PDB file of all heavy atoms in Angstrom:
ATOM      1  N   THR A  83     115.085  15.656 129.057  1.00 96.00           N
ATOM      2  CA  THR A  83     116.152  16.735 129.298  1.00 96.00           C
ATOM      3  C   THR A  83     115.654  18.210 129.239  1.00 96.00           C
ATOM      4  O   THR A  83     114.913  18.615 128.284  1.00 96.00           O
ATOM      5  CB  THR A  83     117.333  16.642 128.219  1.00 96.00           C
ATOM      6  OG1 THR A  83     117.834  15.344 128.272  1.00 96.00           O
ATOM      7  CG2 THR A  83     118.456  17.660 128.624  1.00 96.00           C
ATOM      8  N   LEU A  84     115.845  19.008 130.326  1.00 96.00           N
ATOM      9  CA  LEU A  84     115.491  20.420 130.492  1.00 96.00           C
ATOM     10  C   LEU A  84     116.592  21.228 129.702  1.00 96.00           C
ATOM     11  O   LEU A  84     117.674  21.334 130.044  1.00 96.00           O
ATOM     12  CB  LEU A  84     115.333  20.810 131.891  1.00 96.00           C
ATOM     13  CG  LEU A  84     114.752  22.114 132.002  1.00 96.00           C
ATOM     14  CD1 LEU A  84     113.240  22.101 131.670  1.00 96.00           C
ATOM     15  CD2 LEU A  84     114.879  22.546 133.532  1.00 96.00           C
ATOM     16  N   ILE A  85     116.016  21.957 128.600  1.00 96.00           N
ATOM     17  CA  ILE A  85     116.923  22.834 127.771  1.00 96.00           C
ATOM     18  C   ILE A  85     116.237  24.162 127.776  1.00 96.00           C
ATOM     19  O   ILE A  85     115.075  24.257 127.189  1.00 96.00           O
ATOM     20  CB  ILE A  85     117.203  22.198 126.457  1.00 96.00           C
ATOM     21  CG1 ILE A  85     117.875  20.820 126.448  1.00 96.00           C
ATOM     22  CG2 ILE A  85     118.078  23.252 125.598  1.00 96.00           C
ATOM     23  CD1 ILE A  85     117.976  20.032 125.212  1.00 96.00           C
ATOM     24  N   ASN A  86     116.925  25.283 128.136  1.00 94.00           N
ATOM     25  CA  ASN A  86     116.303  26.633 128.207  1.00 94.00           C
ATOM     26  C   ASN A  86     114.861  26.560 128.739  1.00 94.00           C
ATOM     27  O   ASN A  86     114.034  27.281 128.191  1.00 94.00           O
ATOM     28  CB  ASN A  86     116.444  27.206 126.737  1.00 94.00           C
ATOM     29  CG  ASN A  86     117.839  27.303 126.256  1.00 94.00           C
ATOM     30  OD1 ASN A  86     118.767  27.621 127.012  1.00 94.00           O
ATOM     31  ND2 ASN A  86     117.964  27.036 124.940  1.00 94.00           N
ATOM     32  N   GLY A  87     114.696  25.954 129.870  1.00 94.00           N
ATOM     33  CA  GLY A  87     113.368  25.887 130.538  1.00 94.00           C
ATOM     34  C   GLY A  87     112.258  25.094 129.911  1.00 94.00           C
ATOM     35  O   GLY A  87     111.158  25.009 130.412  1.00 94.00           O
ATOM     36  N   LYS A  88     112.602  24.324 128.819  1.00 94.00           N
ATOM     37  CA  LYS A  88     111.623  23.414 128.295  1.00 94.00           C
ATOM     38  C   LYS A  88     112.092  22.030 128.183  1.00 94.00           C
ATOM     39  O   LYS A  88     113.353  21.770 127.964  1.00 94.00           O
ATOM     40  CB  LYS A  88     111.242  23.927 126.807  1.00 94.00           C
ATOM     41  CG  LYS A  88     110.546  25.169 126.725  1.00 94.00           C
ATOM     42  CD  LYS A  88     109.073  25.009 127.253  1.00 94.00           C
ATOM     43  CE  LYS A  88     108.293  26.274 127.194  1.00 94.00           C
ATOM     44  NZ  LYS A  88     106.938  26.164 127.593  1.00 94.00           N
ATOM     45  N   LEU A  89     111.236  21.031 128.426  1.00 96.00           N
ATOM     46  CA  LEU A  89     111.544  19.655 128.381  1.00 96.00           C
ATOM     47  C   LEU A  89     111.659  19.209 126.964  1.00 96.00           C
ATOM     48  O   LEU A  89     110.851  19.443 126.056  1.00 96.00           O
ATOM     49  CB  LEU A  89     110.485  18.767 129.031  1.00 96.00           C
ATOM     50  CG  LEU A  89     110.517  18.881 130.541  1.00 96.00           C
ATOM     51  CD1 LEU A  89     109.464  18.137 131.138  1.00 96.00           C
ATOM     52  CD2 LEU A  89     111.792  18.426 131.173  1.00 96.00           C
ATOM     53  N   ASN A  90     112.644  18.342 126.635  1.00 97.00           N
ATOM     54  CA  ASN A  90     112.947  17.763 125.284  1.00 97.00           C
ATOM     55  C   ASN A  90     113.129  16.288 125.645  1.00 97.00           C
ATOM     56  O   ASN A  90     113.485  16.071 126.735  1.00 97.00           O
ATOM     57  CB  ASN A  90     114.209  18.294 124.716  1.00 97.00           C
ATOM     58  CG  ASN A  90     114.025  19.785 124.268  1.00 97.00           C
ATOM     59  OD1 ASN A  90     113.881  20.094 122.981  1.00 97.00           O
ATOM     60  ND2 ASN A  90     113.970  20.724 125.144  1.00 97.00           N
ATOM     61  N   PHE A  91     113.037  15.425 124.653  1.00 98.00           N
ATOM     62  CA  PHE A  91     113.353  14.032 124.930  1.00 98.00           C
ATOM     63  C   PHE A  91     114.338  13.518 123.783  1.00 98.00           C
ATOM     64  O   PHE A  91     114.203  13.818 122.669  1.00 98.00           O
ATOM     65  CB  PHE A  91     112.081  13.232 124.893  1.00 98.00           C
ATOM     66  CG  PHE A  91     112.287  11.831 125.464  1.00 98.00           C
ATOM     67  CD1 PHE A  91     112.110  11.567 126.877  1.00 98.00           C
ATOM     68  CD2 PHE A  91     112.640  10.702 124.610  1.00 98.00           C
ATOM     69  CE1 PHE A  91     112.296  10.257 127.232  1.00 98.00           C
ATOM     70  CE2 PHE A  91     112.798   9.421 125.099  1.00 98.00           C
ATOM     71  CZ  PHE A  91     112.708   9.178 126.462  1.00 98.00           C
ATOM     72  N   PHE A  92     115.304  12.687 124.335  1.00 98.00           N
ATOM     73  CA  PHE A  92     116.316  12.145 123.415  1.00 98.00           C
ATOM     74  C   PHE A  92     116.336  10.589 123.538  1.00 98.00           C
ATOM     75  O   PHE A  92     116.353  10.079 124.639  1.00 98.00           O
ATOM     76  CB  PHE A  92     117.620  12.735 123.700  1.00 98.00           C
ATOM     77  CG  PHE A  92     117.738  14.211 123.402  1.00 98.00           C
ATOM     78  CD1 PHE A  92     117.236  15.084 124.429  1.00 98.00           C
ATOM     79  CD2 PHE A  92     118.076  14.830 122.242  1.00 98.00           C
ATOM     80  CE1 PHE A  92     117.277  16.412 124.191  1.00 98.00           C
ATOM     81  CE2 PHE A  92     118.031  16.032 121.994  1.00 98.00           C
ATOM     82  CZ  PHE A  92     117.578  16.934 123.015  1.00 98.00           C
ATOM     83  N   ASN A  93     116.182   9.909 122.486  1.00 96.00           N
ATOM     84  CA  ASN A  93     116.185   8.401 122.421  1.00 96.00           C
ATOM     85  C   ASN A  93     117.562   7.821 122.911  1.00 96.00           C
ATOM     86  O   ASN A  93     118.530   8.574 123.103  1.00 96.00           O
ATOM     87  CB  ASN A  93     115.922   7.891 120.976  1.00 96.00           C
ATOM     88  CG  ASN A  93     114.543   8.300 120.509  1.00 96.00           C
ATOM     89  OD1 ASN A  93     113.654   8.017 121.197  1.00 96.00           O
ATOM     90  ND2 ASN A  93     114.450   8.909 119.354  1.00 96.00           N
ATOM     91  N   HIS A  94     117.632   6.499 122.959  1.00 95.00           N
ATOM     92  CA  HIS A  94     118.814   5.888 123.466  1.00 95.00           C
ATOM     93  C   HIS A  94     119.933   6.071 122.380  1.00 95.00           C
ATOM     94  O   HIS A  94     121.120   5.982 122.731  1.00 95.00           O
ATOM     95  CB  HIS A  94     118.568   4.325 123.608  1.00 95.00           C
ATOM     96  CG  HIS A  94     117.722   4.003 124.754  1.00 95.00           C
ATOM     97  ND1 HIS A  94     118.110   4.314 126.066  1.00 95.00           N
ATOM     98  CD2 HIS A  94     116.450   3.630 124.885  1.00 95.00           C
ATOM     99  CE1 HIS A  94     117.144   3.875 126.882  1.00 95.00           C
ATOM    100  NE2 HIS A  94     116.172   3.513 126.194  1.00 95.00           N
ATOM    101  N   ASP A  95     119.664   6.374 121.154  1.00 96.00           N
ATOM    102  CA  ASP A  95     120.676   6.575 120.217  1.00 96.00           C
ATOM    103  C   ASP A  95     120.997   8.116 120.064  1.00 96.00           C
ATOM    104  O   ASP A  95     121.576   8.611 119.194  1.00 96.00           O
ATOM    105  CB  ASP A  95     120.294   6.177 118.732  1.00 96.00           C
ATOM    106  CG  ASP A  95     118.986   6.889 118.151  1.00 96.00           C
ATOM    107  OD1 ASP A  95     118.499   7.794 118.873  1.00 96.00           O
ATOM    108  OD2 ASP A  95     118.654   6.583 117.020  1.00 96.00           O
TER     109      ASP A  95
END
Side-chain angles (χ1 to χ4, degrees):
T83 304
L84 188 65
I85 301 170
N86 297 324
K88 291 289 184 181
L89 289 174
N90 293 254
F91 193 89
F92 298 85
N93 292 311
H94 291 292
D95 66 356

